[in-house]
Amino acid sequence: DGGITQSPKYLFRKEGQNVTLSCEQNLNHDAMYWYRQDPGQGLRLIYYSQIVNDFQKGDIAEGYSVSREKKESFPLTVTSAQKNPTAFYLCASSPGQSRMNTEAFFGQGTRLTVV
Amino acid sequence: DAKTTQPTSMDCAEGRAANLPCNHSTISGNEYVYWYRQIHSQGPQYIIHGLKNNETNEMASLIITEDRKSSTLILPHATLRDTAVYYCIVRVYSGGKLTFGQGTILTVHP
């Protein structure tokens, strides 16, 4: 089945440790996105990538890092510099500039808890 | 991308039409209006999008005003499973920055 997969669904880490969240898509999409969602809040954009080997900061990039070495994969690292890392993280992909006016597809999210 | 304004919350009776408004007064000519919804603790789900004409699909209808400064998402016969947060977004093309606002919490009552 085509889709976007985030793993794991739940993740626990100790404070001060870096942690990497996985996002994989087999939709052949050029663009990929990472969002953070806190309880009762909307989605805030962390990073996005419009093409392989290129990415841009979103609205809340501090304390996070990404890479886009392959079209299918856009891992997000939550570093120890992120002050409040506990949140629900969502990954999305969309076809990109080559295909206008098409929608983005979302994964089911990873709930990260830092203790 | 232009910003959008939506009411914080709305209620609807089951079986009735739910009309969710969105203001996007700074929308530019090449920006599309997209609607997504998010059911608790899941990833957002695409509903519908349009440029200037009204659109309908199996989930909903989208009515865009002639000046394109506002739109309304219509769920014609709301069910309890339509209870969710609904997001209205404007964007130029599918690969660019995709920013969400706070959305509207729609609660469908029995």
Side-chain angles (χ1 to χ4, degrees):
Chain A
D1 287 352
I4 182 164
T5 303
Q6 291 185 244
S7 61
K9 189 171 183 178
Y10 297 96
L11 188 57
F12 295 87
R13 278 295 182 270
K14 290 185 177 180
E15 191 173 350
Q17 289 182 333
N18 291 355
V19 59
T20 297
L21 282 60
S22 169
C23 179
E24 303 279 332
Q25 54 97 1
N26 60 3
L27 300 167
N28 199 33
H29 286 173
D30 288 318
M32 297 187 74
Y33 307 81
W34 272 107
Y35 295 88
R36 169 185 173 133
Q37 188 171 38
D38 294 288
Q41 302 296 313
L43 284 71
R44 292 187 289 169
L45 182 64
I46 305 173
Y47 268 98
Y48 66 106
S49 167
Q50 298 185 65
I51 199 167
V52 175
N53 293 321
D54 185 50
F55 49 83
Q56 290 81 39
K57 291 182 179 179
D59 301 315
I60 56 163
E62 185 175 352
Y64 299 97
S65 66
V66 293
S67 62
R68 187 82 188 280
E69 297 176 0
K70 297 187 299 181
K71 189 175 187 178
E72 308 79 41
S73 179
F74 191 41
L76 173 75
T77 297
V78 184
T79 75
S80 56
Q82 169 51 234
K83 300 302 180 189
N84 296 296
T86 294
F88 186 49
Y89 290 88
L90 283 158
C91 180
S93 71
S94 66
Q97 294 188 46
S98 61
R99 291 185 57 191
M100 299 277 294
N101 68 39
T102 53
E103 70 270 26
F105 294 84
F106 283 80
Q108 288 305 299
T110 292
R111 192 166 297 280
L112 172 66
T113 302
V114 175
V115 296
Chain B
D1 292 339
K3 291 194 173 183
T4 62
T5 304
Q6 299 176 254
T8 302
S9 63
M10 295 183 66
D11 291 332
C12 178
E14 189 177 19
R16 304 297 293 269
N19 298 289
L20 291 85
C22 179
N23 286 321
H24 30 80
S25 57
T26 59
I27 192 171
S28 55
N30 57 350
E31 287 184 309
Y32 287 75
V33 179
Y34 285 78
W35 283 85
Y36 289 81
R37 73 180 182 185
Q38 185 180 25
I39 296 170
H40 183 63
S41 296
Q42 296 183 22
Q45 175 192 23
Y46 165 81
I47 301 173
I48 199 168
H49 74 277
L51 181 63
K52 55 183 179 181
N53 296 322
N54 298 338
E55 302 287 346
T56 296
N57 63 21
E58 64 279 3
M59 289 182 69
S61 295
L62 174 61
I63 308 298
I64 302 174
T65 58
E66 192 169 344
D67 63 7
R68 302 205 329 118
K69 293 185 177 181
S70 66
S71 61
T72 301
L73 177 75
I74 301 172
L75 308 178
H77 305 287
T79 70
L80 298 179
R81 283 185 285 186
D82 292 322
T83 292
V85 180
Y86 287 77
Y87 296 99
C88 169
I89 300 157
V90 291
R91 67 195 297 229
V92 174
Y93 57 84
S94 68
K97 189 176 181 181
L98 178 59
T99 303
F100 286 74
Q102 292 299 307
T104 296
I105 301 170
L106 174 68
T107 303
V108 181
H109 298 284

